[in-house]
Amino acid sequence: SQTIHQWPATLVQPVGSPLSLECTVEGTSNPNLYWYRQAAGRGLQLLFYSVGIGQISSEVPQNLSASRPQDRQFILSSKKLLLSDSGFYLCAWSGTGGFGNQPQHFGDGTRLSIL
Amino acid sequence: AQKVTQAQTEISVVEKEDVTLDCVYETRDTTYYLFWYKQPPSGELVFLIRRNSFDEQNEISGRYSWNFQKSTSSFNFTITASQVVDSAVYFCALSGPTGANNLFFGTGTRLTVIP
């Protein structure tokens, strides 16, 4: 069966520090991968998605970036964090064969607090 | 444009009561997909159900049931005989037929089941 791992679970970082959140998927090949952010008490905002190695699409201009160095690895990064980057970050994967009808499966999330 | 509205921000019920979570959507696509996700206090999003726009059959899974009505663009979710473990934020989502960036979430309904 497929599993998705996301770490760390919790992170507290000072403003201006770098960021690296990692997500890996097991049990499937060539998944579509996604990074979402959920601000407190709000819905999910799609940040990045990837349909293959090295292929990253950005949905929201910001100081975050994403990379997909391996088929089942998706990394969210920042060179300098802002206070507004605080939130709950969720990684997700979906199968190929059409985007629309494939449910997305989420990791446990990372709670990021910027001080 | 795609849009999902969950007008109920928070709902509280007493254990064993039935509760319905409303979801209204907007789309210009003739083919689309609707989803419900559950986000318990631990944070991860759990996929509950997917419906496609051509299948208006209602679905029942244990204490959960879903009522899809294209005439009113609604996809409501009912929990029968609610339990404390049902306490969570529930998200309704809409996806178009193509495009990895085409999944739109509502803002969620926080359900609290009081013992």
Side-chain angles (χ1 to χ4, degrees):
Chain A
S1 63
Q2 302 90 353
T3 56
I4 180 169
H5 304 280
Q6 187 180 339
W7 68 92
T10 306
L11 191 59
V12 180
Q13 292 282 94
V15 170
S17 64
L19 173 74
S20 180
L21 302 181
E22 191 161 342
C23 172
T24 59
V25 180
E26 296 177 357
T28 186
S29 296
N30 197 29
N32 298 319
L33 297 172
Y34 311 82
W35 277 111
Y36 287 87
R37 177 169 58 203
Q38 184 179 26
R42 301 183 68 179
L44 279 77
Q45 178 187 39
L46 178 63
L47 301 176
F48 301 94
Y49 68 93
S50 171
V51 301
I53 296 175
Q55 300 179 60
I56 308 295
S57 297
S58 174
E59 290 298 297
V60 182
Q62 59 214 330
N63 68 319
L64 299 172
S65 61
S67 62
R68 185 170 178 174
Q70 300 181 45
D71 180 43
R72 290 168 288 180
Q73 183 184 27
F74 205 24
I75 298 172
L76 182 68
S77 304
S78 174
K79 292 182 179 178
K80 280 187 176 182
L81 286 166
L82 306 174
L83 281 174
S84 57
D85 291 325
S86 290
F88 188 54
Y89 289 82
L90 286 154
C91 180
W93 74 272
S94 68
T96 52
F99 292 114
N101 66 344
Q102 297 288 332
Q104 294 183 19
H105 303 277
F106 289 79
D108 291 341
T110 296
R111 298 192 186 280
L112 176 63
S113 300
I114 309 300
L115 303 178
Chain B
Q2 317 269 47
K3 186 178 178 182
V4 177
T5 301
Q6 294 179 256
Q8 306 151 307
T9 306
E10 295 191 30
I11 300 176
S12 292
V13 298
V14 176
E15 200 170 20
K16 297 185 182 177
E17 286 184 348
D18 299 346
V19 59
T20 295
L21 309 181
D22 298 332
C23 173
V24 175
Y25 62 92
E26 295 176 30
T27 180
R28 293 181 181 171
D29 293 319
T30 53
T31 299
Y32 54 89
Y33 304 89
L34 294 162
F35 304 83
W36 275 96
Y37 285 86
K38 173 183 180 180
Q39 186 176 39
S42 51
E44 76 279 16
L45 265 81
V46 179
F47 165 67
L48 296 178
I49 189 172
R50 175 194 63 203
R51 302 298 288 173
N52 72 52
S53 53
F54 298 112
D55 183 0
E56 286 192 71
Q57 273 193 329
N58 292 329
E59 183 157 340
I60 298 175
S61 176
R63 296 184 297 106
Y64 294 172
S65 62
W66 290 269
N67 184 357
F68 176 29
Q69 292 196 344
K70 288 181 75 172
S71 60
T72 55
S73 297
S74 65
F75 186 43
N76 296 337
F77 173 28
T78 297
I79 302 175
T80 303
S82 59
Q83 300 176 2
V84 173
V85 294
D86 296 327
S87 296
V89 179
Y90 291 86
F91 290 95
C92 180
L94 165 70
S95 176
T98 59
N101 58 341
N102 215 2
L103 181 63
F104 295 86
F105 284 85
T107 51
T109 297
R110 180 177 299 278
L111 173 65
T112 302
V113 180
I114 303 165

